[in-house]
Amino acid sequence: MANITNININGTSYGVGQESTGGSFYVPDRIEPPTEETLSYVDEDNAVVFFSIGQMCRVYDNSSARYVFYQFQGNVSGKAEWRQIKDSDSSSIYAYIKVVLKTDREENVNFLDGTRVTITDVTTSEETYSTWYGGDPIVFRVYANKPYDISVSDVSGYITPESEFVFAASYVDRDIEFTYQYMDRSYIDIYFGASDPAAIYGDVNKGVIAELVSEFRRCLVKKTHEGEVTICYLHDIDGRYFHDGTLASGVYNTYGVDTMVYFPEYYYKIVKDVFIKDSIRIYISKYKVDDEYIHVPSCLVGAYKAVYYSGKMVSYPSTNVNYAANKDTYKSRASARGTGYQIIDYNQHCTIALFLYAKYGRRDLRNVLGSRETLLNNTGWSISSGVKDSDSNPNSDYGAVGLCLENVYDGGYEIMDGITFNRNIYNNTYTITNLDGSTRTITKNVNNTAGYIKNILAEEGGSFFDVLPTNNGGSSNIWYTDYFYGIASADYLLTRASSDPKKCGPIALYCFASNNTSSDTTSRLAFRGIIIVEEDVEAFKALPVII
């Protein structure tokens, strides 16, 4: 019988040379190294025993006067897979883990220099780290038969790869590769020093901007819980159908099933004078590239102007737009739908303007999408157009469509939430509610009480894309071509859009008395909260209608 030897590896006692230690911890002796045919061994009772995954055997090496250990990796199609354990002897067994870092872009090999790689012993929480330099792999020597977690530090502008879990006994000489994914971003430059409304440059409708624009899609919406809705997308070519081509009639014209537009999550950052003096560069990304990026969460905005049903606001194809109510009434009708429902807010208003500028590279959007001559009482007239925007000569019976929003800036004034406005003889004072619930107050001396917008607050290089006017000395065909109207000195209700086809636009703002009930003023339903996307049309149709 072979000599009996007990070795201790990381707290586990292994018996070698005899069967009495038993099971997968038994390490049999061999005369020669194992091959692909070595699937079993014969014990002292001449019984054939098959190797278990992770079990080892040993071979005595006369040249080094030491044992060499081999570990069974598994049986693949009847052939054994073995790995030699490096530096193996009767007192310790080590595993080697090689770590390589890279990015998904063509970068200088030294770009990731300084990145920290940490390996953690899961059983003891003991950490060992090394720093990446020069592109050479980092090699860790660790005790085998133990679990480890390998992680890497953050690199600015890149998505940090997830940590890797390794059980060293199973992955001797394991190669680990971490790939940093670039946080892709696009930008537009608005050259406000030029009167040409086409003075927007950069990645107009390209890259990340084009990707995000494509995510503005119409959908049907059902409330599922308080603060939660489920949506199902409509067809991009014809909104009378679901995204899978099945007919949506009988669903979209049901009260309580709202037709809305999904606004995607994004991040943006404004930098002044990067492109040229009197310009701002707006970076747009799907990721928080750095701490200066502003986060804008996803939300829903009604595809149509407000319709009133049973004391509540809906976004529904109708012949009766809900005009002539005051702000409190619109807010109460929207909130009556439940938690998360609201009227369109100032931040959504800014998002509409930003992405229309980024999509078309122009500030004179009336010349791109057109406008309607008079007030409109119908909703749902654009349903068959899918995600297609209108053009510079839209159907005069209807109006402008942009980012899937019907009458995106025309067909009537829209009361919005999230901003209050006071005008005195010298200044405009705005109080804005941020997306985190905090508020900020902005006071600007505006040269004219009313007029076409020449400059906006965002051009001053602040953190936010604020489309509030700072100079109303423009005209109907240069600069921004949208109109701002505010008179006298009072607290005002600030509305977006317009019923005037020659003054409307994505940043047009009109002031009314705070309790205004004008016959051409309405609002638009919106939702902020949990949004669940249901791809299965039948499953969506089966959801109950809650209104």
Side-chain angles (χ1 to χ4, degrees), residues 14 24 82 185 265 313 341 389 411 439:
Y14 291 81
S24 61
W82 290 89
R185 68 213 77 159
E265 176 186 36
M313 185 182 294
Y341 285 91
D389 288 351
T439 59

Side-chain angles (χ1 to χ4, degrees), residues 315-377:
S315 184
Y316 175 87
S318 173
T319 57
N320 187 21
V321 173
N322 184 201
Y323 291 107
N326 61 32
K327 182 176 181 179
D328 288 342
T329 299
Y330 286 123
K331 289 180 64 175
S332 66
R333 289 175 179 176
S335 63
R337 295 292 302 277
T339 304
Y341 285 91
Q342 59 172 66
I343 62 174
I344 188 172
D345 61 39
Y346 170 73
N347 289 290
Q348 292 160 338
H349 169 69
C350 293
T351 289
I352 293 168
L354 174 59
F355 278 93
L356 284 177
Y357 294 144
K359 181 177 182 179
Y360 291 106
R362 301 190 65 91
R363 293 174 288 176
D364 57 342
L365 270 300
R366 287 196 308 277
N367 289 331
V368 178
L369 304 178
S371 61
R372 176 179 166 76
E373 292 294 330
T374 58
L375 202 66
L376 183 66
N377 286 308

Side-chain angles (χ1 to χ4, degrees), residues 84-196:
Q84 180 181 336
I85 308 297
K86 287 191 175 181
D87 286 353
S88 53
D89 57 29
S90 61
S91 60
S92 62
I93 297 179
Y94 295 100
Y96 289 82
I97 300 175
K98 183 171 67 175
V99 178
V100 174
L101 306 185
K102 59 183 291 189
T103 74
D104 63 350
R105 295 168 67 90
E106 293 295 331
E107 302 283 1
N108 185 289
V109 293
N110 298 321
F111 179 78
L112 295 173
D113 282 1
T115 303
R116 183 181 230 185
V117 181
T118 302
I119 184 165
T120 304
D121 184 326
V122 175
T123 57
T124 66
S125 299
E126 182 180 352
E127 292 185 349
T128 302
Y129 70 87
S130 185
T131 304
W132 175 270
Y133 282 109
D136 294 327
I138 296 173
V139 180
F140 292 95
R141 189 179 81 161
V142 299
Y143 287 111
N145 305 302
K146 298 188 74 174
Y148 296 92
D149 186 77
I150 307 171
S151 60
V152 292
S153 59
D154 295 339
V155 174
S156 179
Y158 286 80
I159 301 171
T160 304
E162 294 184 359
S163 61
E164 289 273 356
F165 177 83
V166 174
F167 190 75
S170 298
Y171 299 103
V172 179
D173 298 338
R174 174 71 184 273
D175 292 342
I176 304 293
E177 185 175 272
F178 289 100
T179 300
Y180 284 84
Q181 181 184 346
Y182 181 70
M183 293 181 180
D184 206 6
R185 68 213 77 159
S186 297
Y187 70 89
I188 56 169
D189 292 319
I190 299 178
Y191 180 29
F192 57 85
S195 61
D196 182 359

Side-chain angles (χ1 to χ4, degrees), residues 34-52:
T35 67
E36 64 181 20
E37 297 178 353
T38 309
L39 293 168
S40 63
Y41 59 94
V42 177
D43 66 13
E44 62 179 355
D45 297 322
N46 291 318
V48 176
V49 181
F50 285 94
F51 282 100
S52 301

Side-chain angles (χ1 to χ4, degrees), residues 48 58 77 82 129 166 206 217 256 262 271 278 285 301 498 528:
V48 176
R58 69 177 186 172
S77 300
W82 290 89
Y129 70 87
V166 174
K206 297 177 183 177
R217 298 177 63 190
Y262 177 80
V271 181
D278 294 332
S285 179
V301 175
S498 174
R528 291 192 182 276

Side-chain angles (χ1 to χ4, degrees), residues 31 88 133 169 229 282 348 418 431 461:
I31 297 174
S88 53
Y133 282 109
V229 297
I282 306 172
Q348 292 160 338
T431 300

